[in-house]
Amino acid sequence: MIRLENVSLAFEDKVILDNISLSIKKGEIAVILGPSGAGKSSIIKIMVGLWQPDSGRVFIGNKDISKLSELEMLPLRRKMGIVFQGNALFDSLTVEENVSYFLKEHGGLNSSLIKEKVSEILSFINLEGTEKICIDQLSGGMKKRVAIARALSFDPEIIFYDEPTTGLDPINAKSILDLIKRVSERGATSIAVTHILNDAVSIGDTLSVINEGAVVETGTVYDMLRSENKFVKDFFYVVYQDAALLKNKKFYK
């Protein structure tokens, strides 16, 4: 579904991505995991065509997007949804206006169908009845749900989440992670970037550990727990200590 082959990127003298190769299967939740500043968000920008790599190739399906223009990227971007770390919502608009914003611009639907679509999405994310509430009146967790709702408005084949639970309390964070899993069950391929280890363990079908712009290791959570790589072992130390979490994820048979 998505494939990066030997992708490198640098700005001036700073290496951002160093010979990155990744493969993400259709329908899975792939988590890109690593410390702040490791290059995780840069990978998303490469995947959605906002940045072009200095070298290497980026495939969405069978199409190499690494050198496409903005105009050539538009048909592919219509198949993508993005949930930004800061949500990027319009605080002065209502929930309904935020979710329907791009549908009105590019959806080709009349007002009645747009309203129906918004209602359906809000029901899916458990925010029924919030249509007329302004964004600045919502909690952080509710704002994140609205951001996910807006990303779902075009029924994307691929959805990107940039640090989806940053700034949320544990209860709201869990509800967002549960929602990401529900979105995946609808068939979307999901790519989440996070530095929060327990988030990655909770939702990831595959994890790619990134450090200093390079892929350290890729695999399942179980693969990470068996890794002999020192950085991976140090990063996953807390998971080794959490027997209850291991039991919940059914690592042991």
Side-chain angles (χ1 to χ4, degrees), residues 63-128:
K63 192 171 187 64
D64 183 358
I65 70 166
S66 54
K67 301 300 179 185
L68 295 186
S69 67
E70 282 291 310
L71 187 60
E72 291 170 324
M73 275 299 303
L74 284 178
L76 287 170
R77 288 214 186 106
R78 292 193 181 104
K79 300 178 181 180
M80 301 175 181
I82 304 175
V83 180
F84 297 96
Q85 182 175 348
N87 300 325
L89 299 171
F90 302 103
D91 285 347
S92 61
L93 301 183
T94 66
V95 169
E96 181 179 26
E97 288 167 336
N98 269 276
V99 176
S100 65
Y101 188 84
F102 296 109
L103 283 174
K104 291 177 180 177
E105 295 290 323
H106 308 291
L109 302 176
N110 62 40
S111 58
S112 177
L113 289 175
I114 288 174
K115 188 176 288 290
E116 184 178 319
K117 180 76 171 178
V118 170
S119 178
E120 175 191 330
I121 295 171
L122 291 179
S123 176
F124 175 74
I125 66 168
N126 296 324
L127 282 183
E128 304 97 324

Side-chain angles (χ1 to χ4, degrees), residues 23 50 108 120 143-144 214 226 231 233-234 237 247:
S23 183
L50 294 175
E120 175 191 330
K143 287 179 181 178
K144 185 64 69 175
R226 295 186 300 175
F231 181 83
K233 291 176 76 171
D234 289 346
Y237 176 79
K247 182 178 180 181

